[in-house]
Amino acid sequence: MTDGRASRVCAGHIFKNWRERWFVLEDHLLKYYKAEDLKSDGSVPSNLGELKGVIALQGCTVEAADATVADGKQFCFKITAMSHKIFLIKANDAA
């Protein structure tokens, strides 16, 4: 099942390279796409463009990330994969 929703958020695997990405949740996969493919009005494009990565959510832990852990950024959460790779994701706001 695809929930069909996409969010405009920033993600950084290494703190110095925060990049804007579109995230789409499909079943137990969180797929992220290059933000350069966004429409000029900021809406979800019909073709999300280049797939940059996939996070398999089964077996992951998800928790709020304190700003001190997230390079001073607010509204972040941390996904820790079973491989122990950590993904920090920042939303535009608390909603």
Side-chain angles (χ1 to χ4, degrees), residues 25-31 54-62 79-85 87:
L25 180 61
E26 293 182 12
D27 296 317
H28 299 292
L29 302 175
L30 186 60
K31 298 180 178 183
V54 177
I55 303 169
L57 297 176
Q58 280 186 307
C60 289
T61 58
V62 180
I79 299 174
T80 305
M82 290 188 67
S83 66
H84 302 289
K85 184 173 182 179
F87 298 88

Side-chain angles (χ1 to χ4, degrees), residues 16-70:
K16 296 177 184 174
N17 72 340
W18 289 85
R19 305 221 191 272
E20 200 161 2
R21 299 284 188 242
W22 277 107
F23 284 79
V24 177
L25 180 61
E26 293 182 12
D27 296 317
H28 299 292
L29 302 175
L30 186 60
K31 298 180 178 183
Y32 52 99
Y33 298 83
K34 195 171 184 177
E36 292 172 354
D37 301 320
L38 301 178
K39 291 183 177 179
S40 59
D41 66 0
S43 63
V44 178
S46 58
N47 177 1
L48 289 172
E50 181 184 353
L51 178 67
K52 298 301 288 183
V54 177
I55 303 169
L57 297 176
Q58 280 186 307
C60 289
T61 58
V62 180
E63 59 188 309
D66 186 84
T68 58
V69 174

Side-chain angles (χ1 to χ4, degrees), residues 70-91:
D71 199 28
K73 299 183 185 316
Q74 294 183 334
F75 313 123
C76 295
F77 59 97
K78 179 172 78 169
I79 299 174
T80 305
M82 290 188 67
S83 66
H84 302 289
K85 184 173 182 179
I86 295 172
F87 298 88
L88 288 170
I89 300 175
K90 179 191 177 305

